[in-house]
Every structure is written in structure tokens, then in C-alpha cells.
Amino acid sequence: MAGLTLLSQYNFLLFHSLSELFSIAIGWAAFGMCWNSRERLQSGYLLILGVALLCVGAIDMVHTVSYKGMGVFPKDDPNLPTQLWIAGRYLKGAAFVLAGLFLNRRIAPFPLLTGFLLVTAGLLGSIFLGWFPDCFIRGSALTQFKIFSEYLVCVLFLISGWLFLRGRRHLDPVLFQVIMAALVLSIAQEMLFTFYVSVYGLSNLLGHLTKVTVFWLLYYGIVRMGVAEPHRVLFRELENHRERLARSRDRLAEAQRVAGAGSWEWTADTGETLWSEQMYHLLNKDPDTFHPDPENLRRLFGVKAWETYKRHLLQCLRRDDQCEFEVTLRLPGEAEVRHLEITCRATRRADGRPERLLGMMRDVTGRRNLEAMREDVERILHHDIKSPIASLVSALKMLAQEPEIPAKHRSMLETMGQSARDVLQLVQRSVALRRIEEGQFTPARERVNVMRLLGQVRTQTKRLRTLRSVSLSIHMHPDGEKRKRPDTRGDAPLLQSMLDNLIRNAVEAAPRESTVTVHVGNSHGVNITIHNQGTVPKAVRHRFFDKYATHGKTDGTGLGTYSAKLIAEAHGGKISMRTGQEHGTIVTVRLPVFGEA
């Protein structure tokens, strides 16, 4: 600054050229930095200022070479450089206002650059074509338009200062102070240029020195803080993202700790497996000494659990994108058997090749122990309840046969006896289901009339169908030359329980005033299809026949379809479901025809 001041006393034209070139160089450097960083800028204000300084620098370059005494243009008139000066200040003031509107928003780079270049070309064209108002008249000094324009530019800087002040939370604190200082000095600069009477006068000198200060501040705020200290401006948002990511990672680790679950990732390219901290804790391993490579995992899991683990992962990679399974193992140094539930999902490249496996592992030992305890209790209860109920059925039957009992009381005893028999059948079915689950059930070989069972189910579901305003339609379609009745073989009470569960589910899922339709045929087996117009919720479609799978029922147990599947498969049959908005839901049961091997 001191050197420029001394230079102005020696040669004002050289002083003017150097001070203008200083601001032009900074403006173009700012544009280069902002433009090449446009993909990383999270807010649009820096890009707007950079593009604006490119265009302002271009106008200032023309202003510099047209200055009185330079001799570049034939007409050595002070009006031309003054017009160019005002055009550049209008562009700069408008750019700061626009920047204040994009403190927390991105802006499209190429439309922005195109717009500023078109405005710049328009300003230069209007000046050289004589359309721009005069700003300096030789002998009369500044025109009213020029003075009014300086005041208007000051207003633009005030508006932009208010916008930056309002959005200061989106700015780095130091950058905010630098920009506000630049705006204040820009206003002072414009005021100095409102009353000079000579292009070589004192106010012109002070105005250009103030401009040098303003552009030095812009250099410090945009170029230095954006390049030498990129984390303070360009990567400020990235720093915030990293902080949020770290907090999310901590919350995930805490959630895994509370849930007793750990996460892992396997990468196909490297074959490397990465564990979360909770995985090491779950399997009692030190992350500093244990590496989860295949050999270490095989030793940790044991042969049987490792084969199960590897088989399901290969299945997930080759055929399925997602799988869920369980391994049972005893960790080294532990007496208790551990049950680990594993869920994994494969991500694939565009060509279908697997890219990585993402998985979760959860210790369900406590849950499995509780289930085993519950099963033991159920087994004991079934055994202990069955005998007294059977005695009650016999006693009620004997009482009902006594000749001295009045007819009214006899009817009541028969009703009580029927209820006791129903309870006894329920217990017997429960015992049978338990035996099916354990693989110890052998179905009976007796002939079962499927249509008779459906008739009994119709009677049992009458009250439910009335409450739901749903009707039940049953159709038989015997096939073959002899038109045989579609009978099957097996345990009639269990098969009736299966049909009862499926039809009750269909009635509950069907819309009001609709019909549940049952079709029975004997083509390649006894085929029973149960159709309703409702659809199965997406949340349970893939586990429709799983144990405890239920959705939207406050009193649902999730055992109806599960027990139906067990009963069908125990009788050598199959069961399936398909659902959709167009056709509703169809459950198909296929059982062996009586007499077939």
C-alpha cells in the first residue's frame, strides 16, 4: 500500500494500472479455484462470487487499458473508463446480492457462467455502441447518473450484507467477518468515487487503494481460505458429515450392544472379512489378536457349525440375495452351547457377480433356552391335563345315561360332554403337533372324507362368518371316469384342524360382503384351493407359513398357518400360497388320494 502510494506521486497512470491488475489477478484466481472446485462446493455463494469476479475482472481490464493517458483507444476520453467502472460495480453489487441468496443452496454452474458472460457482453456492447449513459463530462466532472449509480451500488452492498448476516450460521466465522469487512470497504470505496473531479485526483487515489484492500480481503476469504485452508470452507460440510457419521457409528455400536448383535462384511474382490466391535465381544475375541479369516473361523466354530455357516453363505452368493439361518456351537473355554442367528444379504455388480456380503449375527441362546423350557412345560401340561379331561368325558357320558336324570338336565350333560370332548381333541391335536415338530408322528391310514370335514368346518365357522359378513362357498370337482369322491387318508381330527385354520384365516382376511370359495378336486391328488379377495401384507408374505408369523391381528398367535403346513406335510402333502391385488389370495393344499401308495 505504501509502495503504491509513493508510485502514485511519481506516475499516477502506472499506479492505476498496477492496482487494477492486482484486483484483476485476484478475481481471475478466485474464479479458477471456485470453478475447478464446483463439484465439491456444497453451497452456491462461493461459485457465484468466483464467476462474478471473472466477469468484473474482464470489465476492469478494459477499464484499465481505456484509462486516460493509456492511448489504447483513439478517443482518449475519461467518460469511457468511468462508464466501464460503473458497469463493473453494478455487476459486482448484484453478484453479492445473488450470493447472499445461495448461502445454503447449490447452483447450476454452467447456466450461472453463461448468464454472467451474457450480462458482461451486454454491458460492454451497450458502452461501445453508445447506449450506456454518460458518467463523466469533460469540464463538468461527474454526471448525476454516475453519482446515483454509486449510491445504488452501495444499496446493493447493504442488501447483500443483510443477507450474509441473516445466513451467517451457514458460513465459517472467519470467512463471514472477511466478507462483511469487504462489503463495508466496498461501500466506502463507492462513496469516495462519488465526488472526485479528476481521474488523477485524491479521491480517485483513495478509492483505488480501498479497492486494493477489498480485493486483498476477497483473496484471503476465497482463494487462501479455499485453497490453503480447504477444510474451513470447501470441506466444512464434509467435516460436518464426518462428525454426523461418527455419531451414527457410535449409536449403531450402542444399538448392537443393547441388542446383543454384531455386523460383518465380506468383500468378494479381496476375500477380506470385517467385523464390528460387537462381533468380537459376541464371540469373546480380542480385535487386536484375532482376524476373522476362514481358517480362524473354522477353528472357532468347529467342523459342524462351520460347514453349516459356509453352506448358507455360498447359497446366498450363488442363488439367493438374502438368507437367514442358525448355527449351534460351543466356543472354546465355554461349557454352554451357543445358538447364533445369522442374517446376510448379497450385493451384486451390474453383471450379476457378487460384490460383497453384508450380515448380522445375534446370540439367541437365551431365547432358545426359554423355548425349550416352554416346550417342556407344554409337554408336561399336555400329559397332566389329558387324563383328567378323559375322566371328565367318561363321567359325563355315564351321568347322561342314568335313567333317573330329567331330560332337561340330560341335554345339559350332553352339551357339557361335547365341550369336554372338544377340549380333549384340542389337547390331542396339540400333542400330535408337538410330535410332528419332533419328527415322531406317523399319520393314520384311515379313509377321510374331505367334503365331510369341510361341512363340519362350515358349521364351526358360522358365527365368525356372520360377524364378518362373509359367505363360504364349497365346490367339489371329482375327476376321472368313475367320478370318485376326493377322499384322502390320515388323521381326520388333524386334517379338520388344518382346514379350520386355513378357512378362518381366509374369512378374517376377506373384505366384508365378499365370498370365500373352496374348490376340491382329485386330479393327481386331493387338491383343495381356498380363495379370498384380500391380500397378504408384504411384511409377512415371505414367511406366511413360519411359526409366530402374524400381522395386524391383536389376538393372533401366528400358529394357524404354521400348524396347517405341519399337518399337510405330515400327511405326505404340500401347501402353498400366492397373493396379489388382481386375484386376491389363494392357498392350495395337495394331499394323497386314499388308496394310492
Side-chain angles (χ1 to χ4, degrees):
M1 297 291 287
L4 285 174
T5 304
L6 292 174
L7 186 61
S8 69
Q9 303 304 310
Y10 170 73
N11 189 314
F12 192 91
L13 199 58
L14 181 58
F15 153 77
H16 178 265
S17 298
L18 289 178
S19 60
E20 290 292 348
L21 287 174
F22 177 82
S23 62
I24 292 167
I26 287 179
W28 289 353
F31 165 75
M33 183 279 298
C34 293
W35 184 257
N36 288 293
S37 304
R38 62 187 182 276
E39 299 298 331
R40 298 195 301 271
L41 294 174
Q42 299 299 313
S43 302
Y45 71 96
L46 276 179
L47 185 60
I48 293 171
L49 292 179
V51 171
L53 290 178
L54 168 72
C55 296
V56 171
I59 294 177
D60 284 350
M61 177 61 76
V62 182
H63 162 78
T64 302
V65 299
S66 68
Y67 207 73
K68 183 182 178 182
M70 293 293 289
V72 174
F73 293 98
K75 188 178 180 181
D76 195 12
D77 187 352
N79 183 47
L80 177 59
T82 309
Q83 288 176 313
L84 291 165
W85 171 267
I86 287 298
R89 294 330 99 193
Y90 270 128
L91 190 59
K92 181 181 172 185
F96 267 93
V97 172
L98 183 62
L101 297 174
F102 283 85
L103 296 181
N104 194 35
R105 292 186 294 165
R106 303 193 69 168
I107 192 168
F110 287 98
L112 174 71
L113 178 62
T114 303
F116 267 95
L117 290 176
L118 289 175
V119 171
T120 303
L123 289 172
L124 291 173
S126 66
I127 291 172
F128 284 99
L129 291 174
W131 299 341
F132 199 88
D134 291 330
C135 294
F136 192 98
I137 299 176
R138 193 188 302 272
S140 300
L142 301 178
T143 64
Q144 290 299 315
F145 170 76
K146 199 271 186 184
I147 297 174
F148 172 78
S149 295
E150 298 284 10
Y151 291 145
L152 183 57
V153 170
C154 290
V155 172
L156 292 176
F157 286 137
L158 287 172
I159 294 173
S160 63
W162 174 76
L163 291 173
F164 276 90
L165 182 64
R166 188 183 64 171
R168 63 183 302 176
R169 67 183 181 278
H170 303 301
L171 296 172
D172 179 272
V174 177
L175 178 58
F176 169 74
Q177 295 173 6
V178 169
I179 289 179
M180 293 302 290
L183 289 173
V184 170
L185 286 177
S186 295
I187 293 173
Q189 165 196 306
E190 300 307 318
M191 296 304 296
L192 286 169
F193 284 117
T194 57
F195 52 83
Y196 73 86
V197 294
S198 170
V199 293
Y200 298 140
L202 177 63
S203 62
N204 209 330
L205 168 67
L206 295 177
H208 280 89
L209 291 176
T210 306
K211 182 183 179 184
V212 168
T213 306
V214 168
F215 273 83
W216 179 83
L217 289 171
L218 292 176
Y219 156 78
Y220 184 81
I222 298 176
V223 178
R224 178 169 176 175
M225 292 183 65
V227 176
E229 302 176 57
H231 62 281
R232 302 194 63 173
V233 178
L234 295 180
F235 301 115
R236 185 165 180 262
E237 193 67 25
L238 180 59
E239 290 279 328
N240 293 335
H241 286 322
R242 286 175 177 169
E243 292 176 3
R244 288 196 290 269
L245 180 60
R247 290 195 296 269
S248 298
R249 191 183 298 115
D250 292 341
R251 287 195 294 268
L252 176 60
E254 181 64 17
Q256 289 184 0
R257 186 189 65 80
V258 172
S263 60
W264 54 270
E265 177 182 343
W266 176 82
T267 305
D269 291 337
T270 62
E272 184 180 11
T273 300
L274 298 177
W275 279 8
S276 69
E277 181 181 349
Q278 186 61 26
M279 280 289 293
Y280 291 97
H281 178 75
L282 192 65
L283 297 172
N284 296 330
K285 288 298 175 183
D286 185 351
D288 295 330
T289 59
F290 182 83
H291 187 268
D293 56 58
E295 184 59 30
N296 286 334
L297 288 177
R298 187 185 65 80
R299 285 196 296 265
L300 178 66
F301 282 14
V303 176
K304 185 176 180 181
W306 169 249
E307 290 300 325
T308 302
Y309 178 79
K310 187 171 63 173
R311 183 177 68 255
H312 282 91
L313 294 191
L314 289 174
Q315 176 183 333
C316 187
L317 283 172
R318 292 171 180 171
R319 297 195 303 272
D320 304 328
D321 285 336
Q322 186 167 337
C323 64
E324 183 174 328
F325 60 97
E326 188 175 308
V327 295
T328 303
L329 54 89
R330 181 180 284 107
L331 295 176
E334 290 188 0
E336 184 184 20
V337 173
R338 301 277 291 274
H339 299 271
L340 300 177
E341 183 181 75
I342 300 171
T343 303
C344 63
R345 180 174 62 86
T347 62
R348 303 184 183 277
R349 298 182 175 90
D351 59 2
R353 291 184 299 117
E355 183 177 21
R356 60 170 54 88
L357 275 176
L358 305 173
M360 291 286 294
M361 180 180 289
R362 188 174 184 181
D363 190 339
V364 294
T365 304
R367 189 174 72 190
R368 290 291 176 263
N369 290 340
L370 287 175
E371 289 176 357
M373 186 183 300
R374 184 182 63 191
E375 290 171 359
D376 290 340
V377 171
E378 288 179 357
R379 192 176 291 109
I380 295 171
L381 287 175
H382 290 158
H383 181 271
D384 292 347
I385 291 175
K386 184 176 178 181
S387 296
I389 293 178
S391 300
L392 178 61
V393 170
S394 299
L396 290 172
K397 183 177 180 181
M398 291 175 62
L399 279 174
Q401 293 174 352
E402 289 291 329
E404 293 84 2
I405 294 180
K408 179 181 178 181
H409 293 168
R410 192 186 308 277
S411 176
M412 294 174 60
L413 286 171
E414 290 175 353
T415 302
M416 293 170 62
Q418 183 59 49
S419 299
R421 285 191 294 275
D422 291 342
V423 173
L424 182 59
Q425 286 183 353
L426 181 62
V427 173
Q428 291 172 336
R429 283 199 297 268
S430 181
V431 172
L433 287 175
R434 173 65 58 199
R435 293 176 60 196
I436 292 173
E437 284 186 315
E438 295 173 349
Q440 301 176 358
F441 177 80
T442 302
R445 306 289 296 179
E446 64 184 35
R447 187 174 194 136
V448 178
N449 185 332
V450 174
M451 294 303 295
R452 182 178 299 164
L453 295 184
L454 288 170
Q456 293 170 351
V457 171
R458 180 198 292 274
T459 303
Q460 292 169 346
T461 59
K462 181 178 180 179
R463 183 172 178 273
L464 174 64
R465 289 186 285 108
T466 302
L467 290 174
R468 297 282 303 169
S469 299
V470 173
S471 58
L472 177 64
S473 177
I474 302 174
H475 306 274
M476 185 176 72
H477 307 282
D479 297 321
E481 296 180 0
K482 297 183 179 180
R483 310 290 287 176
K484 290 183 179 180
R485 192 175 62 199
D487 291 347
T488 186
R489 65 173 185 270
D491 189 297
L494 280 179
L495 292 173
Q496 181 181 335
S497 174
M498 175 192 72
L499 295 172
D500 183 78
N501 280 324
L502 294 177
I503 290 176
R504 283 182 183 274
N505 274 351
V507 170
E508 291 173 351
R512 299 185 70 84
E513 307 298 336
S514 65
T515 300
V516 172
T517 307
V518 180
H519 293 275
V520 183
N522 59 352
S523 175
H524 306 292
V526 177
N527 301 308
I528 307 166
T529 60
I530 304 170
H531 171 261
N532 74 84
Q533 297 174 15
T535 57
V536 178
K538 291 183 179 180
V540 293
R541 286 181 185 178
H542 67 286
R543 52 189 184 93
F544 183 75
F545 294 106
D546 290 355
K547 198 172 186 178
Y548 308 126
T550 185
H551 183 84
K553 296 182 184 180
T554 57
D555 57 347
T557 63
L559 295 175
T561 54
Y562 171 72
S563 65
K565 180 175 182 290
L566 286 182
I567 294 169
E569 292 178 349
H571 285 78
K574 294 181 179 179
I575 188 169
S576 61
M577 181 275 297
R578 57 189 177 93
T579 186
Q581 292 291 339
E582 184 177 356
H583 301 294
T585 300
I586 299 174
V587 175
T588 302
V589 181
R590 175 169 292 180
L591 297 170
V593 174
F594 179 78
E596 291 184 354

